[in-house]
């Protein structure tokens, strides 16, 4: 299995995150991760990144029974990794 730790994309080091359904997000930081996750969403692509984190967290607690922090993108991403929703490659 090939694992990519960091990938240089457009001159920036970006981490690759694996999501359910073999979806991948490349992001240089948590803020970019949230933005990319939101813009790829068919449900909440038209709201702000902050609104998206709250909406996602509300759905996730219903679906998985797990609370996700929404106070900062860093805490949001850390919780997605902690709960297994996102995996840093």
């Amino acid at each position: 299995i090939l694992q990519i730790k960091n990938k240089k994309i457009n001159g920036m080091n970006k981490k690759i995150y694996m999501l359910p359904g073999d979806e991948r997000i490349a992001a240089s930081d948590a803020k970019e991760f949230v933005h990319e996750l939101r813009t790829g969403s068919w449900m909440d692509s038209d709201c702000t990144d902050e609104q998206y984190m709250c909406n996602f967290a509300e759905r996730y607690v219903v679906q998985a029974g797990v609370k996700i922090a929404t106070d900062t993108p860093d805490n949001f991403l850390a919780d997605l990794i902690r709960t297994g929703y996102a995996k840093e490659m």
Side-chain angles (χ1 to χ4, degrees):
I1 297 175
L2 175 65
Q3 290 192 351
I4 301 171
K5 291 278 186 197
N6 289 305
K7 187 174 183 180
K8 200 160 195 160
I9 301 172
N10 295 333
M12 298 177 71
N13 281 331
K14 295 194 179 200
K15 294 179 181 176
I16 307 296
Y17 298 91
M18 179 70 75
L19 305 177
D22 289 333
E23 183 180 350
R24 290 180 172 90
I25 289 182
S28 57
D29 58 23
K31 185 174 180 178
E32 183 179 13
F33 174 88
V34 171
H35 181 76
E36 292 298 322
L37 188 63
R38 179 187 61 79
T39 57
S41 170
W42 58 272
M43 295 182 77
D44 290 320
S45 61
D46 60 343
C47 63
T48 67
D49 290 348
E50 291 76 18
Q51 290 170 327
Y52 178 79
M53 289 190 299
C54 292
N55 294 345
F56 183 100
E58 287 176 12
R59 287 192 300 272
Y60 200 65
V61 76
V62 169
Q63 294 173 355
V66 179
K67 291 186 178 183
I68 301 294
T70 60
D71 56 332
T72 68
D74 289 313
N75 289 340
F76 180 80
L77 178 55
D79 274 359
L80 291 183
I81 292 169
R82 176 185 57 79
T83 61
Y85 184 85
K87 181 178 178 184
E88 188 177 326
M89 300 302 293

